[in-house]
Structures are given as C-alpha cells and as structure tokens.
Amino acid sequence: MGTFVFGKAVCKAVAYLMGMAVSVSTFSLVAIAIERYNAICNPLQSRVWQTRSHAYRVIAATWLISALLMLPYPIYTTTTTPPGEPHITQCTHKWPGSNVKQAWSVLLLVTLFLIPGLVMIVAYGLISRELYRGIQFEMDLTRQAKAQQNGGSVEPLPPCAEEGDGCYVQVSRPAGGAVELSVLTPEDGAQQEAARVNTSRAKLLAKQRVVRMLVAIVVLFFVCWLPLYAVNTWRAFDPQAAHRALSGTPISFIQLLCFASACVNPFVYCFMNKRFRKAFAATCSCGRAAPCYRRRPRPPEDELTATGASLSKFSYTTVSSVGPP
C-alpha cells in the first residue's frame, strides 16, 4: 500500500494476528510430530492419554503460548510518517533500539524455526526408524510365506524380544482356557498363506508411503521457512546490505514460500490420509439433505491413520496357525 489508511488500532491488530498465525501454525506442526511419535513408538501408553479432551488442551495451549509470545508486536507496532512526506502513513515496527530488534529476530529464529525443526527431525526420524523395522519384519514374513508356498524351507524368524522391534503376539483363548487349532486342509493352508502374503505386502507399502510423507513434511518445513528467518535475522544485523540484496523479486519470492506452506500443509498432513478424507466428507455432509454417515468399523491396520495409531508395534507381527507342510 502507498499509505496505510486504517489507523493505529488496525495496524497493531494486523501485526499481532499475523505473528500469531505463524506461531500457531508452527507449534501445531510440533504438536502433531510429538503426538505421532507417541502413537507409533509408544502405542500402549499413548492410547491412555491421547483423547479428545487432550487434543482440545493442546490446541488451547498452542494459541495461548502464541498469544503471549507475540505481545511485542502490538506494543512496538504503530503508524508513522516518513520525514518530508506528510501525506504518507506507514504501519511499521518501531523498536526501542537495534539491540532489541536483533534480540527479537534471534528469539523468533530459535523459537519458531530451530527448535521446532529439531523436534520434527528427531520425532520423525525415530518414527521412520520404527517403521523401517516394521518394513524389514514384513519383508521377512513375505519371504517366509513365499518359501512355504513353494514347498521350500526357511529359517524361522527370530523372537520379537530378541529383535527389539516391540512386536506382540495376541492369542484369543476360549472360556475354558484351552486353545484349539482347527484342522486345515492343504487347500485351506495355501489360501491362508496367500492372504498373509497380500496383507504383509499391503502393510509394507503403507509403511513405505508414511516414511516418504514424513520426509516430505520435514523438507517442506525447511524449504518454506528457512529463507524467511534467515532474511529477517540478516535484516536485524545489517539492514542496508539486506535491503540492497533482497529488495524486489527476491523478498517477494521468499514471502511467497511462506504463503505456500499454508497451502501444502493441509494436503500433506490431512488429505493424503484416506481416513481423514472419509471423515472430512462425512463432516461436510452434515446439515445437507443427505444424512450424516455413521461411524464405520475400524478399517484394516494397513490403512494408516493421521496420528499413526494403527502403525503401532502390533501391526508388525502376523500370527499364522498354518504349520509347514
């Protein structure tokens, strides 16, 4: 704008809300990373406290922390008139001194970029390692099943406790306490082995998709936000050199990257997940002529949830009652 015509109150509100939007977005990404880590790497413990009320508290905490963190913006943002141009009004940050401006830029760099980026790298790195173990286990199961189908022999898989991948075996017992194994014909055994191979392959592909998505999340975060925080820090310490190098197209492109993050995040975090798309369609159908969808039974474990709950260590083990021929 050539001149800011909305007054000092709107100037302060715009600066405050823009800062809060960036802060809430970043803290939400960090919260999602931590929630996913606990859901995948600590599934038993996380199911106790990952409830709807917990989600509400996390959302409220992100907004509260952001509101407190961005208070300097309404305090030090105001409308000013450049010297010699009384007909022009600008909405700018008026810091008490260069030291305050530099400290504020470094604080934002650390709080909204370095720490969140480090948390996301560690959380998604541990998740990827856990999923990689599951991928290796599924590949071993598939090779074993194929070898049994071909009539060959294969060494049994090592116990889960020795591998350390945290898989568990759940065997349902009747009321009497005894476990009965039904008599299977060779044809039934072959069908069950084929079904197990298909299930293992589906789980393997699903885990690989999730690993790729996690890598994309971290890469997009750094690509979209690293240029902005680097430029803001440069501006705080050497404003004249930064202005000469970045004015015009470079700074416009850097700001465009920040806006792009708001466009790609919903698709990366939400719409790439099949269950989220179904729930979103069901929510949007409420209030229309068509009735709302009722809650459907839980889909197979190869459909990975947005929080990764179905990626728990239980999905690493397939228990088969079919012995070798």
Side-chain angles (χ1 to χ4, degrees), residues 145-194:
K146 287 182 178 180
Q148 291 180 354
Q149 284 182 342
N150 296 332
S153 60
V154 63
E155 295 182 2
L157 294 174
C160 296
E162 296 179 6
E163 286 293 318
D165 54 8
C167 48
Y168 301 87
V169 177
Q170 292 178 320
V171 181
S172 58
R173 294 179 178 272
V179 178
E180 293 186 7
L181 296 178
S182 57
V183 179
L184 300 177
T185 63
E187 292 78 8
D188 295 335
Q191 292 178 357
Q192 289 198 8
E193 288 297 334

Side-chain angles (χ1 to χ4, degrees), residues 34-142:
I34 296 175
E35 297 276 336
R36 282 177 168 170
Y37 165 76
N38 284 282
I40 296 174
C41 299
N42 301 303
L44 295 182
Q45 296 86 345
S46 64
R47 289 181 182 181
V48 177
W49 53 267
Q50 282 187 342
T51 59
R52 187 183 297 272
S53 61
H54 169 77
Y56 291 151
R57 290 193 296 269
V58 171
I59 294 173
T62 58
W63 280 91
L64 179 60
I65 295 174
S66 300
L68 296 176
L69 179 63
M70 294 300 162
L71 281 177
Y73 275 139
I75 295 175
Y76 296 110
T77 301
T78 186
T79 55
T80 60
T81 300
E85 300 182 75
H87 61 284
I88 295 179
T89 301
Q90 296 179 343
C91 179
T92 60
H93 307 308
K94 194 173 182 180
W95 303 101
S98 59
N99 293 335
V100 177
K101 183 179 180 180
Q102 293 171 1
W104 175 249
S105 299
V106 173
L107 175 65
L108 293 183
L109 175 66
V110 173
T111 306
L112 298 183
F113 181 75
L114 294 181
I115 293 179
L118 180 62
V119 171
M120 293 172 63
I121 290 176
V122 173
Y124 289 138
L126 294 175
I127 291 173
S128 299
R129 185 185 67 174
E130 193 74 18
L131 295 180
Y132 179 76
R133 293 178 179 178
I135 290 172
Q136 296 297 319
F137 194 81
E138 297 293 347
M139 293 175 64
D140 292 340
L141 288 175
T142 302

Side-chain angles (χ1 to χ4, degrees), residues 254-309:
I254 291 172
Q255 292 175 345
L256 181 62
L257 286 178
C258 303
F259 298 148
S261 68
C263 301
V264 300
N265 282 338
F267 291 95
V268 174
Y269 281 84
C270 301
F271 289 99
M272 289 180 65
N273 181 262
K274 185 176 181 181
R275 292 173 118 189
F276 180 88
R277 293 196 301 269
K278 290 182 178 180
F280 183 81
T283 302
C284 292
S285 66
C286 295
R288 298 182 179 180
C292 299
Y293 295 109
R294 294 185 177 181
R295 188 173 182 179
R296 298 180 180 179
R298 186 174 182 178
E301 289 188 356
D302 58 295
E303 294 186 10
L304 307 176
T305 64
T307 58

